[in-house]
Amino acid sequence: MNRCRQSAPMSMSRDGRLRSEEVATKFGRNLWRCRRRAALSQEELGARAGLHRTEIGMLEHGTRLARVDTLMKLAGSLGISPAELLEGIHWTPGTSSEGGFSISERSLAHRRRDECS
């Protein structure tokens, strides 16, 4: 049974770059979960990562999508692998220049257990 579902259509942001709102939302949920597990406030995580607390809030609420350098800052500040923040976000290449993201609710831990069996 495939637990992945196709994402919502891509939308254009003000700066002209394509972004997926569903990807931003999933990343935000992952960040929120990892920050809470680390028992850090948004302000504390921001200070560790060199980011303002409002940026942490925007990332967690899915109104902003992290760049690679921000992803690395957050993961390092939380003491986790960047993969934990990207858990459940997948890219499927297309046959032309158009591919698509998919979001799954299955956790990385479940996938690792399945791979070891």
Side-chain angles (χ1 to χ4, degrees), residues 67-81:
R67 298 182 330 191
V68 172
D69 59 329
T70 303
L71 170 69
M72 298 305 291
K73 288 177 182 181
L74 292 168
S77 298
L78 291 165
I80 61 172
S81 164

Side-chain angles (χ1 to χ4, degrees), residues 9-19 21:
M10 300 289 265
S11 61
M12 190 70 72
S13 66
R14 283 195 311 239
D15 65 0
R17 289 184 291 175
L18 289 176
R19 74 181 196 90
E21 292 174 13

Side-chain angles (χ1 to χ4, degrees), residues 76-95:
S77 298
L78 291 165
I80 61 172
S81 164
E84 287 192 58
L85 294 172
L86 298 173
E87 185 176 313
I89 302 171
H90 313 281
W91 174 259
T92 303
T95 55

Side-chain angles (χ1 to χ4, degrees), residues 2-97:
N2 186 355
R3 293 183 166 207
C4 296
R5 59 186 162 99
Q6 200 61 23
S7 68
M10 300 289 265
S11 61
M12 190 70 72
S13 66
R14 283 195 311 239
D15 65 0
R17 289 184 291 175
L18 289 176
R19 74 181 196 90
S20 168
E21 292 174 13
E22 195 168 351
V23 170
T25 299
K26 179 64 174 171
F27 179 86
R29 281 185 288 197
N30 291 344
L31 176 59
W32 179 85
R33 179 180 35 81
C34 292
R35 178 180 63 79
R36 297 289 298 218
R37 187 177 60 216
L40 295 173
S41 68
Q42 289 180 346
E43 191 167 0
E44 290 168 325
L45 177 56
R48 286 182 176 197
L51 304 168
H52 196 274
R53 68 171 172 74
T54 57
E55 185 170 1
I56 302 298
M58 289 168 53
L59 289 166
E60 287 184 356
H61 288 101
T63 58
R64 185 169 200 158
L65 192 54
R67 298 182 330 191
V68 172
D69 59 329
T70 303
L71 170 69
M72 298 305 291
K73 288 177 182 181
L74 292 168
S77 298
L78 291 165
I80 61 172
S81 164
E84 287 192 58
L85 294 172
L86 298 173
E87 185 176 313
I89 302 171
H90 313 281
W91 174 259
T92 303
T95 55
S96 64
S97 63

